[in-house]
Amino acid sequence: MRALTNQASKLQVQKLKRQDLIFWIVGLLTLAFALITLLSLILDMAITGWPRITAHFFMTFPSRYPEKAGIYSAWVGSLLVMLVTALLAIPLGVASGIFLEEYAKKNWLTKIIEINILNLAGIPSITYGLMALGIFVYKLHLGQSLLTAGLTLGLLILPIIIVTTREAIRTIPSHIREASYSLGATKWQTVWNHILPYSSGGIMTGVVIALSRAIGETAPLITVGALTFIAFLPSSLMDPYTVMPIQMFNWVSRPQEEFHVNAAAAGIVLLGMTLFLNGTAIFIRYRFRKKYKW
């Protein structure tokens, strides 16, 4: 009987190993297919648009002539919108995450707030655009301005920042808080001098990733009235603007092949900006983890 039981156990183990091998192979093939597809698209875009990557392309306004068109107003507009978005979303998001994790009482109200924040993090971006159109444009009369764009994208990434801030704070061991309290530190002194420095790597990583998502958004900005053609730079928060994805959309929608080449070149620039932000997040996380160890 024992021999039969051992034999059955061995057969079951071998079956599980075969299933694990099959799953590993399928997963590897799926990952390889996705990476090859992505790299082929990026390579095709790079081959098409690289000849247009010149200083003239960066420092020239859009034009109806494709050989004279540039992305000056688009990349400057993207940077300004990101600046407004960061100034509005980062302080509010980090402060909200700290309050919910360290100060708020764990009751039914905070649970409802937490559930709604998680739901907001997964809502399609066009929903934020429609909401911003009704509130910022029609109710508050902010118009098709940089401020409207910054507020819209700020609301879009705010739940992401709150969630990542809370997750970063949760990784801090409890003995750090206990050691701080045992030395007579207050709640705020513990948060400011210990919790925030140790969790800052995770918080900044989440912030940069959120900004990386915002920089490529098109739907909410189209909804709130971003211009597809602009031949000047905004001088205030209430001026019109355009951004890189909108400029790319404008060129791709035109029938001339030369404009498609310009769109590919703009895509390379946008991809480079996104990769730079993600690389910055990785560097920040590495530096803070190296500096603050527990």
Side-chain angles (χ1 to χ4, degrees):
M1 181 65 68
R2 182 177 298 177
L4 292 175
T5 304
N6 292 335
Q7 184 68 19
S9 299
K10 290 181 180 179
L11 292 175
Q12 183 68 19
V13 170
Q14 292 176 357
K15 180 181 178 181
L16 293 175
K17 287 183 177 180
R18 286 196 299 269
Q19 292 177 351
D20 183 66
L21 178 62
I22 293 172
F23 179 79
W24 182 82
I25 293 174
V26 171
L28 182 62
L29 291 176
T30 303
L31 178 62
F33 176 76
L35 290 177
I36 291 173
T37 303
L38 177 62
L39 290 175
S40 62
L41 292 174
I42 293 175
L43 183 61
D44 179 69
M45 182 177 65
I47 294 174
T48 303
W50 185 256
R52 291 287 289 127
I53 303 295
T54 61
H56 180 269
F57 186 69
F58 279 94
M59 301 306 296
T60 305
F61 289 106
S63 171
R64 59 179 178 174
Y65 303 105
E67 67 278 1
K68 297 181 179 179
I71 58 170
Y72 189 30
S73 57
W75 71 261
V76 171
S78 291
L79 292 181
L80 292 177
V81 170
M82 286 300 100
L83 178 62
V84 176
T85 301
L87 291 177
L88 293 173
I90 294 175
L92 184 58
V94 174
S96 299
I98 293 172
F99 175 79
L100 289 173
E101 195 63 31
E102 295 292 330
Y103 290 92
K105 295 180 180 180
K106 307 303 178 182
N107 52 30
W108 63 270
L109 180 60
T110 56
K111 289 182 179 179
I112 292 176
I113 294 174
E114 291 172 1
I115 292 172
N116 279 278
I117 290 174
L118 291 174
N119 290 334
L120 288 172
I123 289 179
S125 59
I126 187 63
T127 306
Y128 287 94
L130 294 172
M131 180 188 65
L133 180 66
I135 297 176
F136 301 140
V137 178
Y138 292 150
K139 295 295 183 182
L140 300 180
H141 304 289
L142 297 179
Q144 303 170 350
S145 61
L146 274 173
L147 183 59
T148 300
L151 288 170
T152 304
L153 295 182
L155 291 177
L156 174 66
I157 68 174
L158 185 60
I160 303 174
I161 296 177
I162 294 175
V163 171
T164 54
T165 298
R166 297 190 65 192
E167 293 298 327
I169 292 175
R170 287 175 183 172
T171 61
I172 307 302
S174 58
H175 64 77
I176 293 180
R177 295 178 177 85
E178 295 168 358
S180 178
Y181 294 146
S182 67
L183 295 175
T186 63
K187 183 77 171 179
W188 172 246
Q189 288 174 332
T190 301
V191 171
W192 182 257
N193 295 315
H194 300 284
I195 303 302
L196 274 180
Y198 283 110
S199 62
S200 54
I203 293 173
M204 291 303 299
T205 300
V207 166
V208 177
I209 291 175
L211 292 175
S212 299
R213 177 191 174 183
I215 197 173
E217 287 292 344
T218 307
L221 298 183
I222 291 178
T223 307
V224 297
L227 301 180
T228 57
F229 183 88
I230 182 172
F232 59 88
L233 297 180
S235 58
S236 70
L237 291 178
M238 303 308 297
D239 284 348
Y241 65 97
T242 190
V243 291
M244 293 287 293
I246 302 293
Q247 186 64 69
M248 291 172 59
F249 171 78
N250 181 28
W251 282 337
V252 169
S253 62
R254 297 194 177 192
Q256 295 93 333
E257 184 65 27
E258 292 80 3
F259 280 114
H260 297 174
V261 174
N262 288 349
I268 296 173
V269 177
L270 184 60
L271 180 62
M273 295 170 69
T274 305
L275 292 177
F276 174 77
L277 288 175
N278 283 277
T280 302
I282 295 173
F283 176 76
I284 291 172
R285 181 175 58 189
Y286 170 77
R287 293 290 296 177
F288 274 93
R289 285 183 177 179
K290 185 177 180 181
K291 183 177 181 180
Y292 297 103
K293 296 181 179 180
W294 56 81

